[in-house]
Amino acid sequence: MELKHFLLQYELASGVRQSLQLLDDKLQDFGLEISTSGLSEAKIYYSWIDLFSTHFDKSDYRYAFYVSALNYLMADDYLIKQHNYEELQRSFIFMTAILETKLRLKTDLIAQCMIQLACFYGKFPQRLTVYSEHVIRHLKCIRDLKACVQFHQVVYGGILIIPGFIDTSKTNLPAFKRRMFSVLFEERSLRKTFPFLGLSKQEANLFQYGAIKLSKKEWFQDTDTVKHYRSLVRLYKHFPDHLEIILKLLNCSFIWEEHIDRFEKDLEFWIDAVRLYIRYTSQDQNIEPRTYVDYLEHKRYRSTINGNRFNLKGRTLKSIGRDIEHWHRYGFLESVLKRASISWKPKPFQSYKAELDAVIYLIEEITDSVTLYRESKELQHCVHTYLKQCINGSTHIFGLRKLGKDGFKPCCTIHLPEQTVLQCKGKLNRHCTQAEQDILQMWADQNDLTINLL
């Protein structure tokens, strides 16, 4: 039991309270804490089992959900294990009111939230609001975790905030997200419970209360979003007025999406990168986020000069802008084209040919490195930087061609991660014309694709 909970239960002389608090502070410096007495875990566990047994038949799905939730909470350091007798009885009063509503449950995590709310009342009965009795009496169904959070806010007051990387529209969560959600649901400290995250006080505050939402990208599913969220928070700490710019840059970063450990180790470089881009935008310099990030990642991670890694120290807006313009137009492709060609597995699409306004168009997938580089050279854009994603299958690139006197010539390049078209750019990254958009839409419809152009 934490000392602060112990002190809430008993009235002690001010000198004794101060001495205990001082001792607790010193012990925490060594990772220790004062142990105070409570009920045995076995006593607590079987008391809860008895409560559920009096309200449900064991064949009832709700009984299974509540027992599963109880097992989860008893396996770790939650409030339920810290109860003394009086606190346990108060928790039962609250829980009984919930059970008597015959509340419909969707998952054991929803059941767990109900148990945690009861235990919170057991520990902190003074937090109960005047609306609680009315709200509990009219409970019928908790549809998702967001509703659990709102229930907590109404019953106990205050504003319980869950970090943006945890999707509260769900009714279940992966293991670590469930652990973090459960800890925060009891209004506990992120830094104390998850010291391995290495968050400073400011970062922990932004982590939970920064109102940062990660965009949902259907093509990266195996990323550690806790690390992604932490890296975003650390950039946000340095640039609190520029969250939108940070998100735009990160959403264009292959390193951030696919190699988050490398990104975090290289955070100082990316702090300089964000700072420089903010200076660009403040001086009305027109440079697309993807162009800027593609250039930085190519220079930083794919090329070296005399064995030295590229950095932004001492670079001016004028010099970096000139370099980006040259690289973006030509991409150092001449030497790359001399390398052996690499092929990859294509999408199961047929080449698409259509006529519009007396012009014949062709859409075909690019499935080897030489064709990809030639596309980049011909249209003077940076599609060649997607080579690794093409090889590992996370991205597919298609060429939109127009028939001329000398055959089909590239006019636009299509970027397709999974089933969504994200980019269709022409020479020098121009936007596609209306005719090209129409051809793109017909091709997308034929192949059951969606279009969401950046």
Side-chain angles (χ1 to χ4, degrees):
M1 184 187 301
E2 292 184 6
L3 180 63
K4 64 179 181 180
H5 298 148
F6 178 79
L7 295 178
L8 284 172
Q9 294 179 50
Y10 303 102
E11 293 187 5
L12 302 174
S14 60
V16 175
R17 296 175 70 89
Q18 291 174 4
S19 297
L20 286 173
Q21 190 63 62
L22 179 61
L23 177 59
D24 187 54
D25 292 341
K26 294 299 182 183
L27 287 173
Q28 286 189 23
D29 291 340
F30 297 94
L32 304 173
E33 62 180 16
I34 297 175
S35 177
T36 54
S37 60
L39 294 173
S40 70
E41 292 184 18
K43 174 66 175 177
I44 293 172
Y45 180 80
Y46 287 109
S47 296
W48 279 96
I49 291 293
D50 289 343
L51 178 66
F52 297 142
S53 298
T54 60
H55 285 82
F56 302 112
D57 186 271
K58 290 186 178 181
S59 61
D60 193 311
Y61 79 96
R62 287 169 293 188
Y63 178 83
F65 277 164
Y66 278 119
V67 171
S68 175
L70 178 64
N71 290 336
Y72 178 87
L73 293 172
M74 292 299 297
D76 223 313
D77 56 343
Y78 295 102
L79 286 178
I80 193 170
K81 294 170 66 175
Q82 303 169 8
H83 280 152
N84 60 30
Y85 180 78
E86 291 181 359
E87 293 166 346
L88 182 63
Q89 295 307 307
R90 280 199 298 267
S91 299
F92 283 176
I93 292 171
F94 188 101
M95 194 71 223
T96 299
I98 295 288
L99 297 176
E100 288 178 349
T101 66
K102 304 298 181 183
L103 178 68
R104 297 189 297 274
L105 303 172
K106 292 188 175 182
T107 64
D108 68 332
L109 181 50
I110 304 294
Q112 175 193 312
C113 289
M114 298 303 103
I115 296 174
Q116 287 185 284
L117 287 168
C119 293
F120 198 86
Y121 174 65
K123 284 290 182 184
F124 313 110
Q126 70 278 8
R127 287 280 303 275
L128 204 64
T129 67
V130 296
Y131 310 104
S132 56
E133 183 178 351
H134 174 78
V135 172
I136 294 172
R137 189 165 55 245
H138 290 84
L139 268 183
K140 298 298 180 184
C141 180
I142 299 289
R143 64 183 181 277
D144 53 29
L145 298 179
K146 183 178 180 180
C148 291
V149 172
Q150 293 170 340
F151 187 26
H152 187 293
Q153 293 169 346
V154 172
V155 171
Y156 293 115
I159 302 176
L160 175 65
I161 302 295
I162 303 298
F165 83 97
I166 297 177
D167 187 357
T168 55
S169 67
K170 305 290 186 182
T171 57
N172 229 330
L173 295 171
F176 182 73
K177 289 186 178 182
R178 177 172 181 169
R179 167 68 172 156
M180 182 170 283
F181 175 86
S182 303
V183 166
L184 294 175
F185 202 70
E186 294 185 351
E187 300 186 10
R188 291 162 55 191
S189 166
L190 271 179
R191 294 183 71 219
K192 184 174 181 181
T193 311
F194 305 104
F196 59 86
L197 289 178
L199 299 173
S200 67
K201 287 184 178 180
Q202 183 183 4
E203 289 167 352
N205 186 65
L206 290 174
F207 196 95
Q208 184 173 359
Y209 301 103
I212 302 171
K213 295 286 186 182
L214 287 181
S215 62
K216 294 180 176 61
K217 292 188 175 183
E218 60 181 282
W219 69 89
F220 71 92
Q221 301 171 356
D222 299 324
T223 53
D224 185 352
T225 54
V226 176
K227 292 182 179 179
H228 286 81
Y229 197 78
R230 178 175 60 190
S231 63
L232 172 54
V233 163
R234 285 174 171 161
L235 289 173
Y236 186 37
K237 177 180 70 172
H238 287 85
F239 311 104
D241 298 324
H242 300 283
L243 178 59
E244 185 177 352
I245 287 178
I246 295 170
L247 288 170
K248 283 182 179 179
L249 294 176
L250 291 182
N251 285 333
C252 297
S253 172
F254 174 71
I255 299 297
W256 184 73
E257 290 176 4
E258 301 290 345
H259 301 284
I260 186 61
D261 288 332
R262 186 190 301 181
F263 184 93
E264 288 200 301
K265 289 178 181 178
D266 217 11
L267 191 64
E268 290 302 317
F269 170 79
W270 288 101
I271 290 172
D272 291 339
V274 174
R275 182 179 294 112
L276 187 63
Y277 191 82
I278 290 171
R279 288 171 62 193
Y280 259 117
T281 57
S282 67
Q283 296 185 18
D284 296 324
Q285 299 275 357
N286 185 22
I287 181 170
E288 291 191 2
R290 183 166 293 280
T291 302
Y292 180 69
V293 172
D294 282 348
Y295 166 78
L296 292 180
E297 293 189 345
H298 176 82
K299 298 289 284 184
R300 182 73 173 176
Y301 304 107
R302 303 185 185 108
S303 66
T304 58
I305 299 177
N306 298 325
N308 296 320
R309 296 184 73 191
F310 173 79
N311 64 70
L312 294 169
K313 301 298 183 183
R315 304 301 295 267
T316 65
L317 291 177
K318 186 175 181 180
S319 69
I320 202 75
R322 184 172 58 248
D323 287 351
I324 290 174
E325 178 67 17
H326 179 272
W327 175 83
H328 191 57
R329 287 193 178 214
Y330 306 107
F332 309 108
L333 296 177
E334 296 300 331
S335 61
V336 174
L337 282 170
K338 298 176 182 178
R339 301 175 185 172
S341 179
I342 304 172
S343 300
W344 50 85
K345 185 178 179 180
K347 279 271 194 183
F349 297 166
Q350 297 293 325
S351 295
Y352 177 79
K353 188 182 291 185
E355 183 175 345
L356 185 65
D357 298 332
V359 178
I360 298 177
Y361 293 89
L362 173 69
I363 296 180
E364 58 184 359
E365 184 169 3
I366 296 173
T367 59
D368 67 86
S369 58
V370 170
T371 307
L372 185 70
Y373 288 131
R374 284 176 178 161
E375 180 91 1
S376 196
K377 183 180 180 182
E378 180 78 17
L379 297 181
Q380 298 181 30
H381 55 39
C382 58
V383 72
H384 66 281
T385 61
Y386 288 97
L387 176 61
K388 288 186 178 180
Q389 294 98 307
C390 289
I391 293 172
N392 66 31
S394 61
T395 280
H396 294 268
I397 302 296
F398 291 78
L400 173 58
R401 284 76 169 91
K402 185 189 298 185
L403 183 62
K405 293 181 180 180
D406 300 321
F408 285 100
K409 294 291 184 181
C411 59
C412 283
T413 308
I414 300 165
H415 175 208
L416 179 68
E418 295 295 336
Q419 294 294 108
T420 300
V421 176
L422 287 187
Q423 295 187 83
C424 183
K425 296 293 180 69
K427 192 169 186 176
L428 295 174
N429 265 356
R430 70 164 175 80
H431 296 294
C432 49
T433 64
Q434 186 58 54
E436 291 163 348
Q437 287 186 38
D438 293 340
I439 292 293
L440 178 66
Q441 186 64 62
M442 289 188 286
W443 173 72
D445 291 342
Q446 176 177 296
N447 294 288
D448 294 325
L449 305 175
T450 57
I451 298 176
N452 185 20
L453 297 180
L454 297 175

